[in-house]
Amino acid sequence: MDRFIEDKVNKVQVKVGGTEERVNFNDLKSGGFIKQRQKDLFTVRLRCPGGRISTEKLIGISKIARKYSKEGVVHFSFRQSLEILYVDYKDFDSVVRELEEIGVKVASCGPRVRVPTACGGCEYNPNGLTDTQGLAKMVDEKYFGIQCNHKFKVSFSGCPIDCARTKEMDLGFQGVVEPVWYEETCTGCTICAEACKEDAIHSDSDTGKPIYDPMKCIWCGDCIRACPTESWQAKRYGHIVRVGGKHGRHPVEARPVAMFIPDDKVPEVIEKTIEWYNTKGTRGERIATLLERVGIEDYKEFMEGVFNSGSPVREGFK
Amino acid sequence: MNTLDSNEKLDLRGVLCPINFVKTKLKLESMEEGQILEIALDAGEPIQNVPKSIKEEGHKIIEVKKENDHFRLKILKR
């Protein structure tokens, strides 16, 4: 029955940031301290944008976790960050200070821009088309914690396999590459037609040369990577932008709103989207609900300036 | 494209991914730069994946021939 008593007494004396304050347990959530079932114990959520941590930091985190987790455990959150479990609220001050010393920050919850998630991206993944890790780091530095009407989740996938699930994000960026074919160097070997998993390339029955169907292409770049003579090349790289996705009790699939948005326009897409969301939305309303209420055209109109840096979404594309 | 003589041959028909690529890679490692390895690869997953990986390793595919349900590739070791 302890749990119920604790739930009622939600104001306690606690040292956070060196000063004695009366802290509201519910407010703590905004700072990345999440109340557990157990009396006085909290989960401390760390900030690991894109799920990447240096081995040096990982050793530091593990030492701190060993010292402060009453059960000696951490948990990988669903958004790629590490969480130290079973931390006593009376230790918050020391935990935060010791984490700061090794350059690790505490994450946040509540109605704000969350830590961005990302796949490995083009740095080391052979399928990767975009620098998802670099972009996640940029978003974390520039936009993390900005107040919104509700939670605001951003993710980056480096290719159409979409491991970072941009279709489930408030705002998602998925890498794409537009292929272009040069006839002069093509030997008609038919590997590209074999390599294409979307049935977008057929081989001419006489010459073996590719017949490309842009309506079926999902811009993964398999043809470019497979071609032995570099006759398929990258015309342009960019991002498919998806908006208004969410999971939870009532999942909604995000809708694609722009294609081939270049890297340098990503910050503007994020800023304008948050501006639209915070201006048009009401407190507690997720962007998916807002889009449902006012219509996606209102959003697209607002975004027109920046979306013009890419291409419109192909009819029927999801 | 001229038909070039190959120094080594590897029949990878029936060999699954990624073992077919690993065998290709090991064979290429045992060869001299400028030599040619000829491999037979099944259609489907092997032909979708192996040429990409060979390219990523820095070698050059200099000839591709389709023979019924499989492909015959010549790879220049680099």
Side-chain angles (χ1 to χ4, degrees):
Chain A
M1 282 295 116
D2 263 352
R3 193 152 63 91
F4 295 110
I5 294 161
E6 163 119 358
D7 277 352
K8 277 175 196 158
V9 187
N10 57 15
K11 283 205 173 167
V12 290
Q13 203 81 16
V14 68
K15 259 181 99 179
V16 176
T19 50
E20 288 280 340
E21 279 177 281
R22 280 192 82 77
V23 172
N24 188 324
F25 271 144
N26 296 325
D27 287 348
L28 279 174
K29 241 189 125 180
S30 67
F33 304 94
I34 307 144
K35 199 184 166 304
Q36 294 190 187
R37 274 169 178 251
Q38 292 80 8
K39 187 179 184 298
D40 295 346
L41 297 182
F42 285 74
T43 293
V44 179
R45 182 176 288 170
L46 308 181
R47 236 166 108 180
C48 313
R52 184 169 169 133
I53 316 169
S54 73
T55 49
E56 194 156 334
K57 274 186 188 172
L58 188 59
I59 290 169
I61 293 167
S62 112
K63 283 180 184 161
I64 294 164
R66 186 141 109 194
K67 186 168 166 188
Y68 291 104
S69 168
K70 301 287 180 208
E71 296 290 329
V73 278
V74 295
H75 175 248
F76 295 106
S77 82
F78 266 90
R79 287 186 61 77
Q80 303 183 307
S81 287
L82 267 176
E83 297 172 333
I84 306 176
L85 306 183
Y86 296 94
V87 177
D88 193 305
Y89 72 88
K90 293 183 231 50
D91 290 329
F92 284 171
D93 188 41
S94 331
V95 172
V96 170
R97 200 185 53 244
E98 285 176 43
L99 285 168
E100 261 169 18
E101 280 166 16
I102 59 163
V104 176
K105 294 183 184 103
V106 176
S108 81
C109 313
R112 46 187 66 77
V113 177
R114 303 296 185 84
V115 182
T117 52
C119 68
C122 67
E123 182 191 333
Y124 55 91
N125 187 308
N127 291 320
L129 303 169
T130 47
D131 180 19
T132 56
Q133 287 289 323
L135 289 162
K137 191 164 174 275
M138 178 277 292
V139 170
D140 184 63
E141 282 162 6
K142 275 181 97 161
Y143 306 111
F144 168 79
I146 290 176
Q147 202 79 24
C148 295
N149 288 314
H150 203 311
K151 59 179 78 166
F152 194 80
K153 295 178 179 175
V154 178
S155 87
F156 295 92
S157 282
C159 79
I161 300 169
D162 197 21
C163 294
R165 289 154 174 74
T166 60
K167 289 176 181 140
E168 296 174 15
M169 297 300 134
D170 295 282
L171 187 61
F173 297 86
Q174 179 228 293
V176 276
V177 59
E178 187 176 8
V180 57
W181 177 66
Y182 295 97
E183 189 169 6
E184 312 82 68
T185 47
C186 178
T187 60
C189 79
T190 74
I191 281 189
C192 57
E194 296 287 330
C196 179
K197 298 180 179 85
E198 302 301 322
D199 206 25
I201 301 175
H202 282 251
S203 296
D204 185 280
S205 49
D206 294 329
T207 63
K209 294 196 173 184
I211 302 158
Y212 172 65
D213 182 355
M215 293 307 282
K216 284 185 177 166
C217 184
I218 61 164
W219 314 284
C220 66
D222 275 346
C223 51
I224 300 169
R225 281 189 294 278
C227 179
T229 60
E230 316 294 335
S231 299
W232 281 105
Q233 289 191 16
K235 190 177 172 191
R236 57 175 174 164
Y237 290 92
H239 304 265
I240 288 176
V241 179
R242 292 193 171 90
V243 74
K246 68 195 267 304
H247 31 246
R249 292 174 185 233
H250 306 283
V252 178
E253 190 167 304
R255 285 175 274 189
V257 281
M259 284 179 174
F260 291 99
I261 296 295
D263 276 359
D264 62 351
K265 293 288 176 187
V266 169
E268 199 180 329
V269 170
I270 295 170
E271 283 162 28
K272 296 287 273 182
T273 301
I274 294 172
E275 189 189 332
W276 181 81
Y277 175 39
N278 279 346
T279 313
K280 300 276 170 112
T282 57
R283 211 176 133 81
E285 185 178 43
R286 198 80 182 260
I287 197 165
T289 322
L290 172 61
L291 285 161
E292 188 66 34
R293 182 164 64 81
V294 305
I296 198 148
E297 290 311 316
D298 189 280
Y299 170 73
K300 281 192 191 165
E301 218 168 275
F302 186 81
M303 300 297 289
E304 208 181 343
V306 60
F307 282 172
N308 280 343
S309 64
S311 301
V313 178
R314 183 178 71 201
E315 189 89 35
F317 182 82
K318 274 197 165 182
Chain B
M1 197 178 272
N2 301 325
T3 303
L4 298 147
D5 288 335
S6 47
N7 303 87
E8 299 271 2
K9 282 186 185 180
L10 215 49
D11 188 355
L12 297 168
R13 283 176 292 177
V15 182
L16 300 178
C17 298
I19 305 300
N20 44 20
F21 169 65
V22 175
K23 286 192 169 180
T24 307
K25 184 177 154 68
L26 288 174
K27 182 58 99 182
L28 283 164
E29 272 170 17
S30 74
M31 292 166 63
E32 301 282 322
E33 233 182 85
Q35 287 192 314
I36 292 165
L37 169 66
E38 185 177 324
I39 61 168
L41 265 185
D42 288 323
E45 223 182 299
I47 197 68
Q48 289 180 345
N49 295 320
V50 177
K52 281 192 285 191
S53 306
I54 293 168
K55 273 179 72 185
E56 274 156 19
E57 294 278 320
H59 307 295
K60 191 162 171 57
I61 298 163
I62 49 173
E63 198 180 294
V64 181
K65 274 187 184 156
K66 193 169 183 186
E67 294 179 352
N68 303 317
D69 56 348
H70 70 274
F71 284 80
R72 200 163 284 281
L73 269 65
K74 283 183 183 170
I75 306 155
L76 177 69
K77 155 129 185 183
R78 284 214 280 217

